[in-house]
Amino acid sequence: MSALAEAEAACAPYGNEPSRCGFELSRSLLLAVRESRAHRPDLVLKFGQYLLRSHAGRLGAEVWAMYEQVYIALLHYGRRPRAAGSGAEEPSEEMRLASEYYSLLAARFPDSMRVKRLEGMMWEAKGEYDMAMADYDEILEEEPNNLAALKRQVALLRARGKPAEAAKRLAAHLEVVGSDADGWLQLCDLYLSQAQYQRAKFCMEELLLLNPMAYIHHLRYAEILLTLGGIDKGGNADLVRTARKYFAHSLDLKPRGNLRALYGLLLCCAAAPKGQKTAAEVEELGACAQKKLLEEYGEAKATSMLDTVKAMSTALLS
Amino acid sequence: MSATTSIEVQPEAYCLMFLHACKYPARAVNGLLLGTAAGDSVKVQKALPLFHSSFALSPMLETALMLADEHCKSSGKLQVVGYYQANELCDDLELGPFGKKIAQKIRSVCPLAACLLIDGARMQPTAREPGLLPLDADGKRSAAALSLPDAAAVQRLDAYLQHGGQHLLVDFDAHLDDATKDWLGNSALLSSA
Amino acid sequence: MSDQLSYPDLVLDPSIRDWVLIPIFVIMFLMGILRNNVTKMMRSSEKTKRDTVQQNNLLMRARRLRANAGWVPAAAFAARKHHFCDKEKGLLMQKQDAPNPMAAMSDPNMMSKMMQGNMAMMVPQMLMMVIIPHFFSGFVLGKIPFPLTPSFKGMLQRGVNLSTLDTAYITSMSWYILAMFGMRGLYSIVLGAGSTTDDSALMQQQMGMAAGGGQPGQQPDYNKLYATEAENLQITEHKFHLSAAEEKLLRGGKADGVTARGKAKRA
């Protein structure tokens, strides 16, 4: 179980009520959220506010990181879409609290770029995208390699519905810092959202070169190849064949719990043109994939899926 | 081609759609609608949440469609009668290239299929303004009339959201990461919530 | 040939353990943490230039391509090779600014960076080398479990000038050196948990260290580096690691069960 799941399980007996969970449990839960970079503003808000209200003194130096974490969670809840209000609205409770935390942080760390980025996020939450952009631009002028500001800019452009420009900026950044795996993943996602499959394929190749042992990258690459190759019979057989190899290798790297690779293999085998020399191997591969799928579902005791999958895979492979 | 003139959405399907969108607020989500189609009206009874990751990749989508088909065959009464989607940006009311492809695919099997877009700007729906936009397969607004036969559907949705019901929902993406999660059994989840 | 007389094992006073072994360990540990904090404080004011970062990045990309070429299809590799090594437009073939040796020396920032880096390393070491023999000398600390030649005596037994003492016995100095090497693992556990996960800081550190390749303080000659890298890339053959991926999967499957083919044969 991941650290976050463990921490959540530990809090569950107390009904997820922070005051009953106590200081230690709440603190470790928030730490787990922070380290796993999970997106759980609900948890952060509940437990973080409790900690800051009742135990701020005990947190010591960690209190500033806590303020930052809760501040970001507050922004998630406080944002209003631009269209709804016309500026002269009463700010929500969350935004008010967020402003309060921000002033605390700004007073403690006056010249910090990290705090400036938080200010940019506040502008974003209020819908003032131009002000936010200006903030991030300033940070990047001061520190051209500030990853956090650059990523917020890309996210901002994406949020404004400008994926093409977001992709351009990200690509320019990756030209300079080619080892940013997160960046390549985001870029791949951006290209996919615009149906630019060839460029997405390039990004996945970079990720494979960066980290050849990650089964997820092989998986995604195979999916892109299969999408490009076309699943219907009559598509690009080479791409389908290569996709098959990547699905197989992904299974090699992660043999259990890798449903996507198994389904992918099934599709590749079904898409292979019949009557070729390698038809026997393809058939065997397909049968193997089907067997492993049924095994997985058997182990997971997913009775509803078992029959469905069996029927579907048999129909597919025939 | 016969056009749909009325789309009825049962509360279970309605709630599931919105819960799916609420579970992944920062992402685009989509799913299938199951029910019956007769004459020129469509009754949507169940929703099958599919993805919250990129829609651009076809392998898992094809798999999901085939599994949904099989599931319908085994359950007997239901068929795939529609597709729903909620976009990443709340003011984006376009179906998008991938949504269109999926909708067209579904329409090719069921010509009356409904295509519903969750209106991200109206996340406080009422019975009169349910927050769903019916679209044609090419993304244009459809003339079909959308109705919620059960007026209490919105209240039920509110109740689920209050209790954090969206965290219990399992879509196909989550199922692919963990085979023990049942994406076909969300209705059971709702009734227990 | 002299007979090695086996002397009875020395019995050491347990207070040696309490007052020497443990204190040395604790002092070194604290010194290490102090050093880590000081270097962190000094490092935070550094800013690496964007150009250097880009040049280093290119080299690292080329090296990664060579190392992991087998994991991408042949076409992808060929395209990238062309991108790097093409005679006219290849990125590695672009002329870079030649390093100016005088500039390095006269650049005050470079000098101070050098000084600081060296100081952070050397000062604690020298301090310890003086303190330890000063305070903890004249006795034996422990015994190494394996036999050594007498020539090690000079190194392992500082301050104890007994020619008849078995080389296996060590003094405080050798304990210090042993512990110094062993602490690395401990530091990574203790400090790793508390260190920041700020990407930019790590990346800047990475770039800074890569830029210091060659002699510290001197700017590396990118032309030469690029040319070497380009040559290496040209001669790299692409061997696709995944060409037998399906067979590998099937073979793994055969080991634990019956495959469709097997069933068909049996039927």
Side-chain angles (χ1 to χ4, degrees), chain C residues 112-123:
Chain C
S112 63
K113 192 170 77 166
M114 230 165 55
M115 289 279 290
Q116 280 172 358
N118 288 345
M119 253 186 8
M121 288 294 131
M122 301 271 295
V123 166

Side-chain angles (χ1 to χ4, degrees), chain A residues 19-174:
Chain A
S19 47
R20 283 163 61 192
C21 292
F23 174 71
E24 270 313 318
L25 267 182
S26 312
R27 200 171 75 96
S28 48
L29 178 63
L30 284 181
L31 194 65
V33 171
R34 216 182 306 153
E35 310 234 300
S36 64
R37 291 158 74 179
H39 181 78
R40 295 299 301 268
D42 53 328
L43 286 177
V44 172
L45 218 51
K46 223 174 24 174
F47 289 88
Q49 282 195 302
Y50 160 71
L51 280 176
L52 286 173
R53 266 202 289 262
S54 324
H55 295 286
R58 278 172 81 178
L59 284 169
E62 209 184 321
V63 73
W64 302 109
M66 196 69 72
Y67 273 126
E68 189 186 21
Q69 202 180 2
V70 180
Y71 170 82
I72 295 180
L74 283 167
L75 289 183
H76 273 295
Y77 280 100
R79 57 195 320 158
R80 294 244 182 284
R82 198 94 192 274
S86 52
E89 272 194 348
E90 189 59 41
S92 66
E93 174 66 29
E94 287 94 5
M95 286 307 272
R96 204 191 46 77
L97 203 53
S99 304
E100 204 184 293
Y101 288 163
Y102 172 72
S103 7
L104 282 170
L105 283 163
R108 177 74 179 78
F109 303 105
D111 286 321
S112 163
M113 289 294 128
R114 196 162 158 179
V115 173
K116 203 175 175 73
R117 167 189 145 227
L118 294 177
E119 188 191 10
M121 287 173 82
M122 166 98 84
W123 286 126
E124 275 190 72
K126 287 191 180 159
E128 302 280 351
Y129 297 128
D130 295 313
M131 299 287 304
M133 262 320 231
D135 256 344
Y136 298 136
D137 278 329
E138 275 170 35
I139 301 183
L140 286 171
E141 244 179 66
E142 184 65 34
E143 279 181 27
N145 288 342
N146 189 318
L147 260 186
L150 190 111
K151 288 190 174 175
R152 287 277 5 129
Q153 267 200 331
V154 171
L156 185 54
L157 285 166
R158 193 172 179 167
R160 291 181 81 174
K162 297 187 182 161
E165 195 172 327
K168 229 172 27 178
R169 284 217 188 196
L170 196 46
H173 157 71
L174 287 167

